[in-house]
Amino acid sequence: MAGIELLSDQGYRVDGRKPNELRKIQARMGVFSQADGSAYIEQGNTKALAVVYGPHEIRGSRSKSQHDRAIINCQYSMATFSTGERKRRPHGDRKSSEMTLHLKQTFEAAILTQLYPRSQIDIYVQILQADGGNYSACVNAATLAVVDAGIPLRDYVCACSAGFVEDTPLVDLSHLEESAGGTQLSLAVLPKAEHLALIEMDSRLHQDHLESMMDAATQACKDLYAVLDRVVRDHLQEVTTSIGE
Amino acid sequence: YLHVALLFWQQVILCHCTLDDLRVDGRSCEDYRYVEVETDVVSNTSGSARVKLGHTDILVGIKAEIGRPKLDRPNKGCLEFFVDCSANATPEFEGRGGEELGTEIANALYRVYDNERSVDLKSLCITPMEHCWILYTDVLLLQCDGNLFDAISLAIKAALLTPSKIPKVQMMEDEEGTTEIELSDDPFDCVRLNTENVPCIVTLCKIGQRHVVDATLQEKACSVASLLVSVTSKGTITCVRKIGGGSLDPESIYEMIETGKRVGKALHAPLQDILNKEESLGKSREKVGFIG
């Protein structure tokens, strides 16, 4: 795309970040009292809410039930006012269904489902404001919500996107950078073991560059892990003090 | 078990309401729960507001788009409502589960707001028959704990009242006679909607012989039926509607309308105060949103 210079000669991006710099992250756990777990995250201007219900008895048809593990049920939806142009439906379109599936697969890899046979865990995520990196914001919010619900995880799941501009990998893409139409890589990582829970790349990239892009994205996920861990610890501190009072 | 619990609550609630002016959570019959209002929470909307009423949590976003006026009112703009009962609120709303409730609420909102008496629709018209502003008002239910209508109406009023980012437009006509819409370049050059007559909704729940405002889920479960009354800041009633099953006798409907009028009129002033305060702070206001 002509016109926008995504990376300046001095090595700064459009919003002034360095190539390997994340946007500002603010998060909170326990936003809602009725759900079993909930969390809210802001990554730059992307805002996402996640709510967890369960583990509980399987709703609907019992045939879905697994005798040796819990099933994970997800729904990804975007508020109709979240995008620049108004969306007609919050969920149910092809893109949201795909996101739902991705989320489900990601969390099946992370949650210790074998601890809850014949039950179900619901994870509902909602994008309130979209500015790039919707999938990663959702995964990060959902991780916090699952932790808030007290469901055992193998490890945190941290997700981040990465792009590739002028031989430099950029991490945590904003909407502007996403819509410029370059290569985009979404990565969900279990940071301690460095396992990948999800990897998805669209459009082509020279194989030689793949490694540097993966490294940048993995590092970004690890940076995110540090932030999420801080949020969880701060939240626990807050809760324990309030119980102690 | 649930049934027993409900019966127990029913007894308690009924007793309290009929005997004295005291409810289970200590409120009197005409008291609202604690309300929190914050505007401008979603930055890519023309106006947005989040309202917390007890545990009920509502987010409203308004987007202004240019469209064609409706055929039956060619010189007016219009409001479009959409209510998304998200699965966040309860797992029952997953998939298409919330659609029915969403449509019911949206229809009530059309009745209350989409008319000349509530909102100055003429000011939303750009050129008659051709172009007008359509205010897409999208309601997102994040948590439900009774009294959705009142919370939604507060959020809609707050979102409409904020300095809405509806840009000024000019019609340009070139030599061939085709018209073009030109938006003002200055992002602060906005039209502000006249919201003097925008009503608030008060829902009254009939419990036993009395009626209460701002019923919680438990109180709602004990009530026969409820009455929705929309009241402007001057105390004019713009819409009355019975909701839910059960029937009400005319006598109690009059009483409920009277209460609704009184409570509704009193609801406007504090809301206006909060919004004025927020606006006077301007950019220096610390945005809370869902953090904190």
Side-chain angles (χ1 to χ4, degrees):
Chain A
M1 199 168 110
I4 308 170
E5 190 188 40
L6 290 179
L7 196 64
S8 71
D9 298 337
Q10 287 77 26
Y12 288 102
R13 290 153 72 175
V14 183
D15 48 10
R17 281 186 287 159
K18 288 183 189 147
N20 59 354
E21 195 178 330
L22 298 171
R23 289 176 288 180
K24 186 185 179 189
I25 299 169
Q26 280 183 295
R28 204 186 132 211
M29 294 164 73
V31 193
F32 299 121
S33 52
Q34 286 177 349
D36 292 314
S38 58
Y40 169 76
I41 198 165
E42 276 179 24
Q43 287 186 250
N45 282 323
T46 303
K47 297 174 183 172
L49 264 178
V51 167
V52 171
Y53 287 94
H56 56 73
E57 212 175 321
I58 296 216
R59 217 166 340 96
S61 87
R62 255 160 225 286
S63 56
K64 283 189 293 180
S65 149
Q66 299 279 345
H67 69 92
D68 56 346
R69 59 190 168 90
I71 57 166
I72 310 278
N73 173 44
C74 294
Q75 181 174 284
Y76 169 89
S77 60
M78 287 175 91
T80 39
F81 48 77
S82 61
T83 45
E85 204 148 293
R86 184 179 175 268
K87 271 175 74 82
R88 271 165 44 87
R89 294 171 66 183
H91 51 80
D93 55 328
R94 235 179 48 183
K95 213 172 156 214
S96 331
S97 312
E98 191 196 355
M99 282 290 207
T100 303
L101 200 66
H102 281 339
L103 271 173
K104 188 175 147 105
Q105 287 164 353
T106 310
F107 280 93
E108 271 172 355
I111 293 177
L112 296 172
T113 48
Q114 68 275 19
L115 294 179
Y116 306 103
R118 295 175 211 281
S119 47
Q120 174 179 354
I121 297 168
D122 294 318
I123 301 174
Y124 301 124
V125 290
Q126 179 104 39
I127 292 282
L128 300 181
Q129 191 172 319
D131 184 34
N134 295 345
Y135 169 76
S136 26
C138 282
V139 170
N140 299 331
T143 303
L144 292 178
V146 172
V147 172
D148 187 40
I151 296 170
L153 284 164
R154 259 182 206 97
D155 196 356
Y156 286 54
V157 203
C158 303
C160 194
S161 58
F164 201 76
V165 173
E166 287 170 35
D167 294 334
T168 323
L170 308 181
V171 303
D172 194 15
L173 302 181
S174 68
H175 178 67
L176 188 75
E177 289 163 333
E178 271 182 2
S179 49
T183 315
Q184 199 192 324
L185 174 80
S186 296
L187 211 60
V189 177
L190 306 174
K192 284 245 171 79
E194 285 200 35
H195 279 205
L196 300 183
L198 183 114
I199 170 164
E200 193 199 22
M201 189 169 76
D202 37 18
S203 76
R204 64 180 201 170
L205 180 80
H206 196 281
Q207 203 186 340
D208 293 352
H209 298 316
L210 184 62
E211 201 184 333
S212 70
M213 204 163 148
M214 287 273 285
D215 285 346
T218 314
Q219 187 52 48
C221 288
K222 284 188 182 161
D223 295 345
L224 249 161
Y225 166 70
V227 178
L228 295 189
D229 194 49
R230 189 76 260 152
V231 171
V232 172
R233 282 173 200 281
D234 284 349
H235 177 72
L236 275 178
Q237 191 94 50
E238 209 177 291
V239 172
T240 38
T241 12
S242 67
I243 290 172
E245 272 165 12
Chain B
Y1 167 71
L2 200 74
H3 188 66
V4 176
L6 200 67
L7 277 178
F8 171 72
W9 276 110
Q10 206 156 0
Q11 291 295 327
V12 175
I13 290 168
L14 276 175
C15 264
H16 278 84
C17 273
T18 35
L19 288 179
D20 33 46
D21 192 21
L22 188 69
R23 286 151 76 176
V24 183
D25 46 10
R27 290 182 288 158
S28 81
C29 285
E30 290 179 19
D31 275 348
Y32 268 84
R33 284 169 286 178
Y34 186 67
V35 189
E36 276 177 53
V37 183
E38 191 183 5
T39 57
D40 205 14
V41 274
V42 183
S43 57
N44 52 10
T45 56
S46 310
S48 63
R50 181 199 183 198
V51 166
K52 274 177 87 174
L53 178 64
H55 286 309
T56 301
D57 205 327
I58 308 281
L59 186 64
V60 167
I62 299 179
K63 267 184 184 299
E65 280 179 20
I66 293 177
R68 222 167 230 287
K70 286 183 183 160
L71 285 173
D72 56 337
R73 35 186 196 193
N75 58 348
K76 289 174 192 169
C78 59
L79 275 80
E80 291 284 343
F81 290 98
F82 176 75
V83 180
D84 178 15
C85 302
S86 82
N88 280 19
T90 143
E92 280 144 44
F93 290 157
E94 197 192 324
R96 308 176 71 97
E99 248 166 49
E100 203 174 305
L101 178 67
T103 321
E104 190 198 331
I105 299 176
N107 284 341
L109 293 176
Y110 274 112
R111 288 258 182 282
V112 174
Y113 291 103
D114 191 25
N115 56 58
E116 184 64 24
R117 286 172 296 282
S118 302
V119 182
D120 184 13
L121 295 176
K122 277 208 177 104
S123 68
L124 292 174
C125 183
I126 302 167
T127 45
M129 311 276 271
E130 280 172 27
H131 303 288
C132 71
W133 285 108
I134 300 175
L135 299 184
Y136 287 98
T137 309
D138 295 314
V139 179
L140 185 59
L141 302 186
L142 297 172
Q143 200 166 224
C144 301
D145 184 25
N147 208 12
L148 293 174
F149 282 102
D150 298 20
I152 291 172
S153 84
L154 281 175
I156 290 178
K157 177 148 188 175
L160 279 173
L161 238 66
T162 43
S164 312
K165 286 176 239 159
I166 304 173
K168 277 211 177 107
V169 284
Q170 272 185 324
M171 298 305 295
M172 308 292 278
E173 201 163 327
D174 61 8
E175 291 125 36
E176 286 143 34
T178 49
T179 48
E180 238 175 62
I181 301 173
E182 195 164 286
L183 290 173
S184 168
D185 290 332
D186 180 8
F188 296 103
D189 195 10
C190 294
V191 185
R192 193 162 183 175
L193 207 59
N194 177 11
T195 46
E196 203 186 329
N197 293 325
V198 176
C200 278
I201 298 175
V202 178
T203 317
L204 297 122
C205 260
K206 175 99 178 168
I207 298 174
Q209 295 303 308
R210 295 183 81 135
H211 47 261
V212 298
V213 301
D214 190 22
T216 59
L217 272 184
Q218 288 142 350
E219 286 172 322
K220 179 104 188 289
C222 307
S223 88
V224 200
S226 31
L227 195 74
L228 177 158
V229 184
S230 75
V231 192
T232 66
S233 55
K234 292 184 192 113
T236 319
I237 290 170
T238 59
C239 179
V240 175
R241 199 174 195 188
K242 198 214 84 176
I243 35 179
S247 54
L248 298 167
D249 63 302
E251 197 80 350
S252 65
I253 288 186
Y254 292 133
E255 272 173 39
M256 281 158 99
I257 291 178
E258 274 311 308
T259 317
K261 194 171 156 182
R262 192 168 58 242
V263 174
K265 203 175 163 187
L267 203 57
H268 284 273
L271 178 67
Q272 192 68 51
D273 281 348
I274 294 174
L275 297 174
N276 287 347
K277 207 181 277 172
E278 278 199 343
E279 202 189 337
S280 66
L281 286 172
K283 282 236 158 68
S284 65
R285 175 166 73 95
E286 209 177 309
K287 285 194 183 167
V288 185
F290 292 86
I291 307 279

